């Protein structure tokens, strides 16, 4: 069977197979080489992720079935401010680092050879959050700020560096895009197609650094270009 | 673990996680309930599909791991004309029916409870095929015609009826769309986002007829709406 690539994270992962989504783009890239498996849980922070990680990655998937890679994309909810409408999702910065470390340790223990890619939370367009109908708050203040998201992004990079796994700094990358507030984020938090493209390209670049791309991985069954038009069935003899 | 939905077919399946693709849309719909597994093989006809079906659906996946559903989407290549540039992909109509029947029998034998959905080949925009740079032919004639695709679509529906499995008649449905030649097909054969939307909606409708939708299937882990903001960890106690 084909190897797997797991996408583990919050709503930005759960929604990643929507139009122009970064998860769908990865699945498309690996269409003949790997199964991209969606494990996104809307609203989850690292505290909740740790409560369920054993069910997300059950033990029978261990050993020979080690996935090629796992992306870990949490922090957007941890970074919710503790005194605003989404306080119940907030996780203090120190605990976020500890939790992220525990997630990495869990994955390393289960699959020592699997590539782990941490993804920082995205930047926040605070105006976009205030206008978002799903954010219930009478204060008129956003439940997330870009500054807070930035602290969690920095912590995520520190965890990756300390535990020697790859990281994608989406918080910084997106802010390099002209007009990123509206161009990259559709509601101040979740990526637009342009924002999704950045996530896809950055993640794929990290995977490629370890040789994980459709060009390098063996294809599942003969490709059309490998089938001789004069004797097509020959390709299927083995 | 989550149940699976397999998408088995040719390039129209292999490319179904591209922008606006019908496979990605299914994966998005089932984001918390089922894994949509891509098994598309560009250029394949039913003759080649039968040569590899044991590898596409290996035996260890049998028994308790029965998928919820399998879509079977072949015929576009079988319907290539036998005297034009893609003749090596052509499969005679009678053999196509026999092969499709064998695929259905294989799946029924392996997974008696799994929903099987046959999808007819799409219609052909012959002008679009002539202009397609991948179709090498000096004759100036398309390698596929809509009439031929229609015969294979009809045969596909007959197989579904005889073997009592579901079918989606994309050949007919797409031709009901205003300006379908260009609106639904980007190169005379492969669907545009609008064409993909038709495939997605038709397939989802069949799945829903058997209760297979994100509304009816159990969600993987607590949904955000089920988590009590005053005591979030309670949702993770069991």
């Amino acid at each position: 069977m084909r190897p797997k690539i797991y996408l583990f994270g919050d709503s930005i992962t759960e929604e990643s197979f929507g139009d122009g989504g970064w998860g769908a783009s990865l699945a498309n890239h690996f269409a003949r080489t790997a199964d991209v498996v969606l494990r996104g849980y809307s609203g989850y922070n690292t505290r909740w992720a740790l409560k369920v990680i054993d069910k997300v990655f059950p033990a029978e998937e261990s050993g020979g079935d080690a996935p090629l890679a796992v992306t870990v994309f949490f922090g957007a909810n941890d970074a919710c401010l503790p005194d605003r409408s989404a306080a119940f999702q907030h996780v203090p910065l120190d605990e976020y680092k500890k939790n992220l470390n525990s997630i990495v340790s869990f994955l390393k223990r289960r699959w020592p050879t699997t590539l782990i890619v941490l993804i920082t939370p995205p930047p926040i367009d605070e105006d976009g959050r205030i206008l978002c109908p799903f954010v219930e708050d009478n204060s008129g203040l956003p439940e997330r700020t870009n500054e807070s998201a930035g602290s969690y992004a920095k912590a995520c990079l520190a965890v990756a560096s300390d535990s020697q796994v790859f990281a994608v700094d989406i918080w910084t990358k997106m802010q390099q895009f002209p007009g990123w507030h509206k161009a990259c984020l559709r509601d101040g938090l979740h990526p637009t197609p342009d924002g999704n493209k950045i996530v896809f390209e950055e993640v794929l670049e990290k995977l490629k650094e370890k040789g994980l791309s459709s060009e390098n991985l063996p294809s599942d069954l003969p490709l059309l270009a490998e089938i001789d038009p004069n004797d097509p069935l020959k390709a299927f003899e083995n």
Side-chain angles (χ1 to χ4, degrees), chain A:
Chain A
M1 283 299 277
R2 294 189 202 189
K4 292 188 175 84
I5 295 172
Y6 280 97
L7 312 183
F8 183 38
D10 55 30
S11 58
I12 304 171
T13 298
E14 183 176 322
E15 296 175 9
S16 69
F17 282 70
D19 268 0
W22 66 278
S25 296
L26 284 174
N28 190 43
H29 176 88
F30 290 100
R32 287 292 287 275
T33 50
D35 287 331
V36 177
V37 184
L38 182 55
R39 288 293 178 270
Y41 301 91
S42 193
Y44 279 41
N45 53 35
T46 54
R47 190 187 288 162
W48 306 353
L50 272 179
K51 291 281 178 197
V52 299
I53 195 166
D54 261 322
K55 290 174 185 159
V56 173
F57 304 107
E60 64 258 40
E61 294 277 330
S62 61
D65 285 318
L68 296 176
V70 180
T71 62
V72 179
F73 197 169
F74 288 101
N77 297 314
D78 301 61
C80 285
L81 300 182
D83 57 353
R84 303 245 174 107
S85 64
F88 75 106
Q89 291 169 283
H90 168 74
V91 171
L93 192 57
D94 277 352
E95 187 192 334
Y96 169 70
K97 283 183 78 165
K98 204 168 59 85
N99 291 344
L100 207 49
N101 238 318
S102 299
I103 292 171
V104 170
S105 299
F106 174 95
L107 294 171
K108 280 187 169 182
R109 228 173 16 247
R110 179 141 297 174
W111 298 305
T113 60
T114 295
L115 178 70
I116 299 169
V117 181
L118 302 189
I119 308 174
T120 73
I124 297 295
D125 166 31
E126 293 167 25
D127 289 347
R129 289 314 290 161
I130 293 169
L131 295 171
C132 178
F134 299 104
V135 180
E136 284 173 32
D137 198 335
N138 298 320
S139 69
L141 296 169
E143 91 295 19
R144 291 164 167 88
T145 61
N146 195 38
E147 188 188 354
S148 173
S151 304
Y152 285 73
K154 207 171 151 189
C156 174
L157 298 178
V159 170
S161 172
D162 290 349
S163 54
Q164 294 182 290
V165 299
F166 280 163
V168 167
D169 184 0
I170 286 299
W171 189 80
T172 299
K173 278 282 163 190
M174 266 192 194
Q175 292 184 75
Q176 291 165 356
F177 195 93
W180 66 270
H181 293 82
K182 307 302 175 199
C184 294
L185 301 166
R186 71 174 158 74
D187 59 1
L189 168 65
H190 297 95
T192 60
D194 273 336
N196 269 293
K197 195 159 174 273
I198 295 172
V199 181
F200 164 62
E201 287 172 354
E202 292 295 318
V203 171
L204 186 60
E205 191 181 300
K206 291 297 168 198
L207 298 177
K208 281 185 173 175
E209 280 182 34
K210 218 196 161 182
L212 303 182
S213 77
S214 59
E215 294 81 20
N216 292 329
L217 294 167
S219 278
D220 178 18
L221 301 173
L223 296 172
L224 185 57
E226 297 161 359
I227 295 172
D228 180 356
N230 296 312
D231 186 6
L233 293 183
K234 204 177 161 205
F236 302 102
E237 275 171 12
N238 298 318

